[in-house]
Amino acid sequence: MSGVRDPGTEAGAARAEAPGAALSVDVAGLLAQLARSFALLLPVYALGYLGLSFSWVLLALGLLVWCRRSRGLKASRLCRALALLEDEERTVRLGVRACDLPAWVHFPDTERAEWLNKTVKHMWPFICQFIEKLFRETIEPAVRGAHTHLSTFSFSKVDMGQQPLRINGVKVYTENVDKRQIILDLQISFVGNCEIDLEIKRYFCRAGVQSIQIHGTMRVILEPLIGDMPLVGALSIFFLRKPRLEVNWTGLTNLLDIPGLNGLSDTIILDIISNYLVLPNRITVPLISEVQIAQLRFPIPKGVLRIHFIEAQDLQGKDTYLKGLVKGKSDPYGVIRVGNQIFQSKVIKENLSPKWNEVYEALVYEHPGQELEIELFDEDPDKDDFLGSLMIDLVEVEKERLLDEWFALDEVPRGKLHLRLQWLTLVPDASSLDKVLADIRADKDQASDGLSSSLLILYLDSARNLPSNPLEFNPDVLKKAAVQKTLKSGKKMNSSPNPVVQMSVGHKAQESKIRYKTSEPVWEESFTFFVHNPRRQDLEVEVRDEQHQCCLGNLKIPLSQLLANEGMTLSQRFQLSNSGPNSTLKMKVALRVLHLEKQERSPDHQHSARVKRPSVSRDGRKMPIRAQMSASPRTADGGPSPPVPDSGSDGKPGEEESTPSVEASPPEPSDLAGSCSSLQASAACSPSHILIKEPTPSIASDVSLPIATQELRQRLRLLENGTTLGQSPLGQIQLTVRHSSQRNKLVVVVHSCRNLIAFSEDGSDPYVRMYLLPDKRRSGRRKTHVSKKTLNPVFDQSFDFSVSFPEVQRRTLDVAVKNSGGFLSKDKGLLGKVLVGLASEELARGWTQWYDLTEDGTRPHAAT
């Protein structure tokens, strides 16, 4: 009986065990369900308890859906790109978008390079070893030494993945190139499931990168070709324009995948890449010892392209009303790109035949393979509509020297654009300067901005024996707030400085990179300045300590001094003023006259620029021009500029011309805005998500002034409406300006304003913004509080700028009264502006007076 179990007993035992087993399973599920319910209901309860709107819940849900959709789209693009790399033929047959096809499919002069891809694939494990060594032995120590908080920074894993870099096409240039060089364009594409993990052990912080996509055109130049081995003197590598980048983050940096932040993070990385690898920056590897590495790393531009952006006709009307039942016009503007330099024109409201009459100047470093690209858009509150595009080969412009034509727009059924293009050659001879100055009418005016007569090229090499203790040679440094803070903390002032060089010509300023903790900095950087009149302008250079915000030395070079030198070039070690006895700065400065060569042509000569037709539709492009506009504010020139007519203005273009006109040229502009010579940064975001859509100031046009000034002028015309306005139609502002020698600061007291214009029926919400030109950095901006709904605000606020008395006399105080408006309000704008000159000996005693506000600040008359 012992070996036989009773079925009833067995069933009872099972029934006794079943409730316990079921209870254990249900407890886990019940707890999970309760946790999920609690997590969902807690935010709702908290919002109700705090009395907040239910819209916050909807906003959070919308953000969650947006994040998931964005990550899903990014993952699908990654899978599609990986499929293309694994089996190109099969993926093409399945129907890949045109933008994902390799370059040789679109361009017949681009060849496949499978042999090169096989070589790279075979070398990829060794390339990965080199990259890992670079991260651990170069980047990791540099990050640790940058700040004490990063002393425990380290890369825990560096894996570049199994997918090698792929070259989708190779183009070799055989025409219009130097015989002693070889130029290749490589269409590169890297889609890798790489894993780069980093951590900061001190703060238990972990982050990393899960995958990277990068696509772009890399130029490889082999020069000079020599008769001995290795036959090539050096190798130069750079991107013609910013590559397309997409990064998937992990760990703490996964927050950067949130829509809005992902574009910002990619833009920051692209800016870092641009500082080293995007034209005009390049990496040069010498292969022989005799090669001049500096000349190859920083070559002189091939020429300057002056673009007269005149007008368009017969554009499409994109604005609609009543859900498309009523068709309106368009608000057209243009985006112009030459390489990595991007300009944006003024928006012309409600016009299908807009007239811009704007002028831009762009540097051309590599014209084989570079084009002038123009896209027209209709400005809308959400996403700007496309109105057409145009692409012109710069080689053709260089051959013709001068082109004045109407061009039919591509990718749209109708529309044409009138351009006047001038190719300016860089001449190392001052014999033609007088003629150039007369052509641009710079020989009579006193302006420092306008059409450029010459180009200044500056190569900043290094400095020696910079003072480690600024107090020894500049006692005014003791008054700096940063220095006083250092002395109070007990730290020594004789530590090595963090030198940075600031250079300016007129109101155009540029700055070098910072070199940390050294008195013998080496920069090896190149800078360019467009110069209006070299006979009257100076190059001002100042070496500053970024850590203590003090001057380590300065010098001033009249550009007229270069005109008498051989080759208009000056290369030497310059002795610094207000510095140590042996403090020197090594630079090479060259001046080149911008000369328009007149070509002898027969009367029946016909010319037309070769317009490149897009091989892919706009929907299939990898990145439109508008998507690469900078989201950061540009450094506009804020100095006064009197009216100067455009040198190329021979007559007015016909308003109703329907055939290309060679003789037409833009009408004479009435005012000058700031020169736009700085390169514009790019951002990989769509046209509908551009943070700032402010036009680039043209160098010779009234309508090209900043949009805020244009809107103020239109408002002033409406106020006038046939009547005569008073002496101060925009009102006045009362300022106290003085320089404190004890504090070594410029003190500005904003007292009040009176008789301002009203931005709405309720009046205005004015505040005052100030810059000390040419410094227009965010850190140099000063702002008052906002006075609500008043036309006679009282501020009585004091501000100061850390600057010495000799230096402040070379500066200009830029004061603007603006209307604040509410969040996302359309009532934001300029109420008036004044530019206060500081080159007065009375500045030490100071003065208090009323100033008349004007549209652009170019006529800052003191009120009586």
Side-chain angles (χ1 to χ4, degrees):
M1 295 294 295
S2 60
V4 179
R5 300 189 62 180
D6 184 6
T9 305
E10 195 171 285
R15 284 194 299 271
E17 294 175 359
L23 183 62
S24 63
V25 174
D26 288 342
V27 166
L30 183 61
L31 290 176
Q33 184 66 29
L34 287 174
R36 285 194 294 268
S37 301
F38 181 76
L40 291 174
L41 294 177
L42 180 61
V44 181
Y45 173 77
L47 289 175
Y49 180 78
L50 297 174
L52 300 177
S53 172
F54 187 73
S55 301
W56 288 100
V57 177
L58 299 179
L59 181 63
L61 292 176
L63 183 62
L64 180 62
V65 173
W66 194 9
C67 291
R68 290 185 175 180
R69 181 175 179 271
S70 177
R71 292 181 65 86
L73 291 175
K74 188 178 289 187
S76 65
R77 288 195 297 269
L78 177 64
C79 294
R80 187 166 58 248
L82 286 172
L84 179 67
L85 293 178
E86 291 175 358
D87 192 344
E88 186 176 81
E89 183 178 356
R90 179 176 177 273
T91 308
V92 171
R93 288 179 178 177
L94 290 177
V96 182
R97 294 186 309 168
C99 69
D100 293 325
L101 293 176
W104 55 267
V105 176
H106 305 304
F107 309 107
D109 52 355
T110 301
E111 304 173 6
R112 299 187 65 176
E114 287 304 315
W115 64 272
L116 192 54
N117 288 321
K118 292 177 181 179
T119 304
V120 174
K121 184 177 181 179
H122 188 72
M123 296 173 59
W124 187 245
F126 304 95
I127 296 176
C128 293
Q129 292 179 17
F130 167 75
I131 295 176
E132 182 176 3
K133 185 178 179 181
L134 178 68
F135 271 81
R136 297 192 184 279
E137 298 183 4
T138 304
I139 300 178
E140 185 175 303
V143 174
R144 286 184 175 181
H147 202 280
T148 55
H149 294 291
L150 300 176
S151 58
T152 57
F153 174 89
S154 64
F155 288 102
S156 56
K157 184 177 182 179
V158 179
D159 183 8
M160 297 304 296
Q162 301 299 320
Q163 291 291 342
L165 176 76
R166 182 173 180 81
I167 300 171
N168 295 325
V170 179
K171 180 177 180 179
V172 182
Y173 290 89
T174 57
E175 299 179 358
N176 303 307
V177 295
D178 193 340
K179 293 182 179 180
R180 297 193 62 190
Q181 67 177 191
I182 298 175
I183 300 179
L184 303 92
D185 282 350
L186 308 181
Q187 306 289 336
I188 67 167
S189 177
F190 176 65
V191 184
N193 288 321
C194 58
E195 292 185 38
I196 303 176
D197 298 330
L198 57 92
E199 62 179 346
I200 304 176
K201 297 179 181 179
R202 181 177 180 180
Y203 299 103
F204 304 100
C205 174
R206 293 187 178 183
V209 174
Q210 188 177 14
S211 64
I212 296 177
Q213 290 192 59
I214 185 167
H215 310 272
T217 302
M218 176 175 285
R219 172 156 293 187
V220 179
I221 300 180
L222 307 175
E223 67 172 340
L225 300 180
I226 56 179
D228 299 322
M229 294 301 293
L231 302 180
V232 178
L235 173 71
S236 298
I237 302 173
F238 55 90
F239 285 101
L240 288 173
R241 63 188 63 161
K242 288 187 178 180
R244 184 163 64 99
L245 177 70
E246 194 167 294
V247 180
N248 282 343
W249 303 93
T250 60
L252 184 63
T253 50
N254 200 31
L255 295 173
L256 296 177
D257 271 333
I258 296 177
L261 291 181
N262 56 355
L264 180 62
S265 61
D266 292 350
T267 301
I268 294 174
I269 297 175
L270 280 174
D271 288 339
I272 296 174
I273 295 175
S274 300
N275 289 335
Y276 296 95
L277 265 178
V278 177
L279 195 69
N281 303 302
R282 62 187 69 195
I283 292 179
T284 302
V285 181
L287 302 180
I288 58 175
S289 58
E290 296 84 4
V291 69
Q292 297 181 356
I293 187 68
Q295 184 177 352
L296 295 176
R297 285 187 61 190
F298 305 104
I300 293 178
K302 299 290 193 303
V304 171
L305 181 66
R306 183 174 291 162
I307 307 162
H308 297 257
F309 192 66
I310 304 174
E311 61 179 326
Q313 285 187 3
D314 198 24
L315 299 179
Q316 289 181 290
K318 292 289 186 177
D319 294 339
T320 57
Y321 307 97
L322 299 177
K323 302 206 173 189
L325 295 178
V326 179
K327 291 187 177 181
K329 296 184 179 181
S330 294
D331 305 323
Y333 68 91
V335 179
I336 305 166
R337 180 171 69 185
V338 179
N340 206 39
Q341 302 162 90
I342 303 180
F343 314 98
Q344 179 178 330
S345 74
K346 171 75 169 62
V347 178
I348 306 297
K349 298 290 185 180
E350 296 290 329
N351 201 325
L352 298 182
S353 297
K355 295 182 179 180
W356 292 283
N357 297 323
E358 298 189 338
V359 184
Y360 304 101
E361 292 174 340
L363 297 172
V364 181
Y365 286 89
E366 298 287 335
H367 56 280
Q370 273 195 308
E371 299 88 20
L372 168 64
E373 302 175 58
I374 300 176
E375 286 186 346
L376 300 185
F377 292 92
D378 166 38
E379 186 185 49
D380 287 322
D382 48 3
K383 183 178 180 180
D384 297 347
D385 297 318
F386 180 68
L387 294 178
S389 65
L390 184 65
M391 186 180 296
I392 300 176
D393 193 346
L394 294 184
V395 174
E396 299 295 318
V397 181
E398 183 190 15
K399 289 180 180 177
E400 297 293 338
R401 303 295 177 180
L402 175 63
L403 287 176
D404 194 335
E405 297 185 13
W406 287 86
F407 298 91
L409 296 174
D410 293 325
E411 305 180 73
V412 287
R414 69 174 190 267
K416 56 184 179 180
L417 181 64
H418 185 193
L419 298 175
R420 189 170 190 262
L421 307 176
Q422 295 174 309
W423 180 273
L424 305 177
T425 306
L426 275 61
V427 179
D429 186 5
S431 59
S432 60
L433 179 60
D434 292 334
K435 182 180 182 304
V436 173
L437 292 176
D439 290 341
I440 65 173
R441 304 187 186 182
D443 53 344
K444 297 179 181 179
D445 62 55
Q446 298 296 322
S448 60
D449 293 318
L451 295 177
S452 302
S453 66
S454 53
L455 182 72
L456 180 68
I457 306 164
L458 186 151
Y459 176 68
L460 178 64
D461 186 273
S462 59
R464 285 184 183 175
N465 303 318
L466 293 181
S468 57
N469 185 1
L471 296 175
E472 184 178 352
F473 304 102
N474 193 353
D476 292 336
V477 174
L478 187 59
K479 301 165 187 174
K480 296 282 186 178
V483 176
Q484 292 177 357
K485 183 177 179 181
T486 302
L487 295 176
K488 288 180 181 179
S489 63
K491 297 180 180 179
K492 295 182 179 181
M493 277 292 296
N494 57 358
S495 60
S496 297
N498 298 338
V500 60
V501 180
Q502 296 176 351
M503 298 144 287
S504 64
V505 176
H507 289 216
K508 293 168 260 185
Q510 298 189 50
E511 190 174 272
S512 72
K513 295 185 178 67
I514 301 173
R515 294 294 180 254
Y516 293 95
K517 299 189 180 304
T518 177
S519 298
E520 308 276 338
V522 177
W523 287 282
E524 293 184 342
E525 296 181 57
S526 180
F527 304 90
T528 55
F529 293 89
F530 283 109
V531 180
H532 181 60
N533 190 342
R535 298 193 190 279
R536 288 196 296 265
Q537 293 183 264
D538 303 321
L539 169 65
E540 298 182 7
V541 182
E542 182 179 28
V543 185
R544 299 186 63 84
D545 182 3
E546 190 272 339
Q547 181 180 4
H548 301 106
Q549 292 296 312
C550 59
C551 177
L552 298 177
N554 54 47
L555 63 94
K556 184 176 181 180
I557 304 175
L559 298 185
S560 57
Q561 179 181 343
L562 294 171
L563 299 176
N565 282 22
E566 182 180 358
M568 293 198 298
T569 303
L570 192 60
S571 179
Q572 67 182 57
R573 285 198 170 272
F574 296 89
Q575 179 67 41
L576 293 174
S577 304
N578 301 318
S579 186
N582 299 319
S583 299
T584 59
L585 186 67
K586 184 178 181 181
M587 297 189 305
K588 182 177 181 180
V589 186
L591 191 67
R592 296 293 182 265
V593 177
L594 302 181
H595 178 60
L596 177 62
E597 297 181 0
K598 303 290 185 180
Q599 289 198 351
E600 298 294 335
R601 296 190 179 97
S602 59
D604 57 346
H605 173 76
Q606 297 291 331
H607 68 271
S608 178
R610 183 171 54 181
V611 179
K612 292 192 173 183
R613 305 295 176 183
S615 55
V616 247
S617 66
R618 175 174 166 75
D619 296 333
R621 289 184 188 175
K622 293 184 178 179
M623 186 181 298
I625 299 177
R626 185 70 178 94
Q628 301 186 21
M629 286 297 293
S630 172
S632 60
R634 283 176 282 271
T635 305
D637 303 324
S641 45
V644 176
D646 180 6
S647 63
S649 303
D650 301 325
K652 294 186 178 181
E655 296 182 5
E656 304 297 334
E657 284 193 56
S658 58
T659 57
S661 171
V662 178
E663 300 300 328
S665 58
E668 290 188 357
S670 58
D671 283 332
L672 277 176
S675 176
C676 181
S677 62
S678 59
L679 299 183
Q680 307 299 329
S682 302
C685 52
S686 66
S688 58
H689 296 94
I690 298 300
L691 301 179
I692 291 180
K693 296 196 291 186
E694 184 175 343
T696 306
S698 162
I699 58 176
S701 173
D702 175 57
V703 298
S704 63
L705 293 173
I707 189 170
T709 304
Q710 286 299 308
E711 291 176 350
L712 182 58
R713 287 188 173 179
Q714 293 176 5
R715 190 178 297 272
L716 195 60
R717 294 189 190 105
L718 293 176
L719 290 175
E720 186 175 5
N721 197 18
T723 63
T724 302
L725 298 177
Q727 183 180 0
S728 306
L730 296 179
Q732 297 175 331
I733 183 172
Q734 187 183 33
L735 301 173
T736 294
V737 184
R738 66 182 180 87
H739 186 272
S740 173
S741 58
Q742 295 179 347
R743 299 169 58 195
N744 203 41
K745 290 184 178 182
L746 175 70
V747 181
V748 181
V749 182
V750 182
H751 295 288
S752 60
C753 299
R754 63 188 181 190
N755 302 326
L756 299 179
I757 63 173
F759 238 80
S760 62
E761 296 179 356
D762 297 329
S764 299
D765 299 333
Y767 69 94
V768 179
R769 182 271 301 152
M770 292 182 292
Y771 286 111
L772 189 60
L773 300 179
D775 182 13
K776 297 197 71 173
R777 294 176 297 178
R778 191 178 187 88
S779 60
R781 183 175 62 185
R782 306 291 187 270
K783 290 173 58 176
T784 67
H785 65 264
V786 178
S787 294
K788 295 291 186 179
K789 299 180 181 179
T790 177
L791 301 182
N792 299 285
V794 177
F795 301 103
D796 287 330
Q797 288 184 252
S798 179
F799 304 92
D800 55 67
F801 299 86
S802 297
V803 59
S804 64
F805 187 77
E807 182 182 355
V808 76
Q809 292 188 308
R810 302 193 299 267
R811 303 289 194 94
T812 302
L813 182 64
D814 179 1
V815 182
V817 183
K818 294 190 173 184
N819 187 65
S820 175
F823 181 65
L824 297 179
S825 172
K826 294 184 178 179
D827 290 335
K828 296 180 180 180
L830 182 67
L831 293 173
K833 190 174 181 181
V834 60
L835 294 170
V836 182
L838 303 176
S840 173
E841 295 297 332
E842 297 182 359
L843 186 61
R845 296 192 298 270
W847 62 78
T848 301
Q849 62 186 32
W850 288 90
Y851 291 90
D852 293 335
L853 296 173
T854 62
E855 307 98 300
D856 52 9
T858 56
R859 297 179 299 278
H861 303 298
T864 57

